[in-house]
Amino acid sequence: MTSATKYSEEQLVERLTAQDKEAFSYLYDNYSGALYGTLIRIVIDEDVAQDLLQETFVKIWKSFTSYNAQKGRLYTWMVNIARNLAIDHKRSRSFKSSEKNQDIDKSVGAINRSQKTVFNIDRIGLKEIVEKLKPESREMINLLYYSGYTQEEASKELNMPLGTVKTRTRTALIELRKLIG
């Protein structure tokens, strides 16, 4: 197949389950940017985020058989892997030690890079589109996609049943798709 090949999520899952390297390449090409964005928001350092991105895709490849479509979408599963790796990294003893010993030039550069990444969302106008959503939809998008909460964490944060969070998230995404066109 050519590089212009597009897979539905079901086709992609089927091919990845069969350890299809072409499908994995497609997965990387189409999802690495989004996963990198998740990682850089958590760890801030570009080099660490790139290392964690590679580690994320290695973990996805090696543990793909544990993916269950009934539990959630492929993208959500991958974001959770990336997010968990980033959080584990930040909690690690070596990361805490490196943060204490980081020189000022590296800190300033990391802050500038992190702000540029965060504001990238604003440049494409997505924030403005999200602001047009109903308040409960906007709240779901902000918690789950901008703040990196899982649906379970959002459920606890908002003190509402997990099923309600899932329904509101789905409604928000449908509403967002309509606004985007």
Side-chain angles (χ1 to χ4, degrees), residues 117-133:
T117 302
V118 171
F119 292 121
N120 247 351
I121 293 168
D122 293 336
R123 280 193 210 124
I124 62 172
L126 193 56
K127 271 264 200 220
E128 289 83 14
I129 294 171
V130 169
E131 290 303 315
K132 294 177 185 176
L133 295 173

Side-chain angles (χ1 to χ4, degrees), residues 13 19 21 25 46 53 55 80 102 105 118 129 137-138 161 176 180:
V13 168
Q19 299 283 296
K21 291 180 182 171
S25 179
E46 286 181 0
L53 180 64
E55 194 175 328
N80 283 332
Q102 198 175 71
D105 291 335
V118 171
I129 294 171
S137 295
R138 186 172 49 245
L176 191 57
I180 291 173

